[in-house]
Amino acid sequence: VTEAERLRLGVGWEEDTDVGPVINKAALDKIHSYTEIGREEGAKLLTGGEVASGDGLGKGFYYRPTVFGDVDPQMRIAQEEIFGPTTAVIRVRDVDEAINVSNGIEYGLSSSIFTRDVNQAFRAMRDLKAGITYINAGTIGAEVHLPFGGTKGTGNGHREAGQAALDFFTEWKSIYVDYSGKLQKAQIDTAE
Amino acid sequence: VALLGAKTFQNYIAGEWVEAGTGETFETASPANGETLGVFPRSGAADVDRAVAAAREAFEEWRLVPAPRRGEILFRFGQLLGDEKEDLAQLMAREMGKVLPEARGDVQEAVDMAYYMGGEGRRLFGQTTPSELRDKFNMSVRMPIGVVGAITPWNFPIAIPSWKILPALVCGNTVVFKPATDTPLLGERFVELLAEAGVPAGVVNVVHGTGGEVGTAIVEHPDVPVITLTGSRDTGVAVTKAAADRLKHVHLELGGKNGIIVMDDADLDLAVEGIVWSAFPPRGSAAQPRAGSSPTRRSTTRSSRAS
């Protein structure tokens, strides 16, 4: 919360800006509607939760970085993609519950675990149902030579980037060249 | 940034800048301060038709250009993008709001992809496999497919077009590209630089306009066998249905709700830094996180950011 409150909102081209605007009015309205939803669901608004104005911010579409606490995993703010600077903090008992909560959504793009316990890290690598898992890093930072994409509602099994991209943008052709000068029959001539 | 100032832009078809047949336009403004950025064609199905015809014709030559040559064009594109990185980042900050460090990263991702896929021009490996018969040689090779329809969102306005268009090109396909209506200017710059790098006329075409009009026309067009979309889940489902009758190849990258687990043994400062960077993107979005977990501390954050 302290770190979120420290972030400076502003135009993206000023070097001391931490957070820029959201893309348009519709996005701003949608993001704020999720703040209302979170409140109605009984989550605790820890910071943010409002359109930012003042210092010229009123000319653009700015939203205060927003953190909800006491969030239940089934709440809409924990389930639905808000596409804005809103985060839900969910308390869990152990790594099993954490993995279940993380998997308990319709999407499967990125996932992450912060731990110094190698056993827990490998459990997460195996069991998090997502196209990407980061260990001791946030959920951004994909590199172009690894497949990018997600499981479940995030996609349909194909991947961008990496060698996987070549599989999507080409079709395989299998070619058989017979240089024996006679008709050879696969499966038939091979029978003893 | 020189391009700003309500300039009027056009579609790019068969190597020419052309008006949309509809005569309609849409205007874009900066989400940062409301400043008008440009006026773009609001194209229709007839414009998509022209672009697809151009891409289809160009495919017959482009597929025969040796893949290493196609790769060299991508290397030049990577070089040009790198040279223009600062200008593109400044434009991105204005057109869709990202702060400069992240905007530069967005461009760098496309530079990386250009060099990576440029290198694929000398690989594109297939396989050779023994035959069960004597004096017979078997191999499997990668073949280009045809015209690729690339429909991209605003959140990574240079990086995402590069993920779609650059591998499509090195593989020998041609492209009809519809950039997001929130970031048409960057889509336009992307294609200008491709042309400058040496991509021949008709190999990449841009049609500006809405998803409902231009996107639908691309997805339903009989001569576009491959569709790649980054967008919402609802759009992905609609595209899949529309493409099903023609058995099109469809790639989808849709929503996200990225959980971050924080265990009680974690380096907390590092975790906070990682969560803040993921949850409060210096633009207003990638697919956001939810945080959660640790026996005592217990938190997962679910936030929304794509990566």
Side-chain angles (χ1 to χ4, degrees), chain A residues 177-182 184 189-190, chain B residues 131-137:
Chain A
V177 184
D178 194 321
Y179 57 98
S180 68
K182 58 192 182 208
Q184 299 193 89
D189 294 349
T190 53
Chain B
S131 171
E132 60 191 48
L133 294 163
R134 282 179 190 239
D135 299 332
K136 197 175 169 192
F137 184 88

Side-chain angles (χ1 to χ4, degrees), chain A residues 3-4 7 10-15 17-24 31 56-57 59-62 65-67 73 76-95 98-99 101-102 104-117 120 124 128 132 134 136-142 144-145 148-150 153-156 158-163 165-180 184-187 189-190, chain B residues 30-35 90 93-102 104 109 112-113 116-117 120 124-127 132-145 148 154-156 160 163-164 167-168 170-171 173 182 226-228 230 233 249-263 265-267 270-272 274-307:
Chain A
E3 291 301 316
L7 299 170
V11 297
W13 56 91
E14 285 175 4
E15 295 281 356
T17 298
D18 296 309
V19 179
V22 303
I23 189 67
N24 53 35
I31 292 161
L57 296 182
K59 284 193 270 179
F61 307 116
Y62 295 87
T66 300
V67 181
R76 288 183 60 193
I77 55 166
Q79 288 287 329
E80 297 172 16
E81 184 174 41
I82 300 169
F83 229 79
T86 301
T87 278
V89 181
I90 302 166
R91 285 180 185 280
V92 293
R93 277 186 312 279
D94 53 27
V95 71
I99 289 170
V101 166
S102 194
I105 46 169
E106 72 168 309
Y107 298 112
L109 184 52
S110 292
S111 56
S112 154
I113 184 169
F114 283 86
T115 181
R116 285 181 278 207
D117 179 335
Q120 293 187 140
L128 285 170
I132 302 169
Y134 295 94
N136 291 328
T139 51
I140 187 148
V144 301
H145 49 301
F148 180 90
T154 295
N156 60 353
H158 294 294
R159 291 290 183 270
E160 288 178 284
Q163 294 289 298
L166 305 178
D167 288 332
F168 183 72
F169 289 111
T170 57
E171 287 204 278
W172 285 106
K173 175 180 278 189
S174 297
I175 299 172
Y176 300 93
V177 184
D178 194 321
Y179 57 98
S180 68
Q184 299 193 89
K185 306 186 197 76
Q187 289 92 41
D189 294 349
T190 53
Chain B
S30 172
N33 61 8
E35 167 193 15
Q90 291 282 348
R94 284 163 176 80
E95 192 175 34
M96 55 71 71
K98 268 185 207 196
V99 300
L100 290 175
E102 216 199 350
R104 293 178 190 122
E109 202 162 323
D112 295 345
M113 187 61 97
Y116 176 54
M117 285 299 160
E120 279 306 318
L124 286 177
F125 295 137
Q127 295 155 354
E132 60 191 48
L133 294 163
R134 282 179 190 239
D135 299 332
K136 197 175 169 192
F137 184 88
N138 294 348
M139 62 190 145
S140 36
V141 297
R142 293 184 180 279
M143 304 294 284
I145 306 171
V148 171
W154 54 265
N155 63 333
F156 290 86
I160 290 180
W163 299 353
K164 299 185 184 309
V170 80
C171 290
N173 305 288
D182 284 311
V226 183
I227 306 291
T228 171
T230 298
R233 189 182 183 286
H249 301 202
V250 177
H251 160 266
L252 303 171
E253 208 279 287
L254 309 173
K257 187 78 171 173
N258 304 328
I260 295 176
I261 299 171
V262 182
M263 300 305 296
D265 70 315
D267 175 341
L270 176 65
V272 166
I275 291 167
V276 168
W277 174 244
S278 305
F280 307 123
R283 65 184 163 278
S285 222
Q288 84 254 95
R290 40 194 266 193
S293 178
S294 98
T296 50
R297 204 155 307 115
R298 311 157 186 193
S299 66
T300 340
T301 117
R302 283 188 186 173
S303 135
S304 224
R305 204 161 189 205
S307 250

Side-chain angles (χ1 to χ4, degrees), chain B residues 49-120:
Chain B
D49 239 7
R50 290 173 69 182
V52 172
R56 199 180 173 200
E57 191 185 333
F59 176 66
E60 293 308 326
E61 170 57 25
W62 182 244
R63 71 188 178 92
L64 303 179
V65 172
R69 280 281 304 127
R70 298 195 297 250
E72 284 162 18
I73 293 174
L74 297 193
F75 286 139
R76 277 201 293 282
F77 178 62
Q79 180 76 52
L80 290 171
L81 271 179
D83 293 347
E84 296 279 318
K85 185 168 166 178
E86 191 57 29
D87 279 359
L88 289 167
Q90 291 282 348
L91 182 58
M92 199 178 298
R94 284 163 176 80
E95 192 175 34
M96 55 71 71
K98 268 185 207 196
V99 300
L100 290 175
E102 216 199 350
R104 293 178 190 122
D106 194 301
V107 179
Q108 185 59 44
E109 202 162 323
V111 173
D112 295 345
M113 187 61 97
Y115 289 132
Y116 176 54
M117 285 299 160
E120 279 306 318

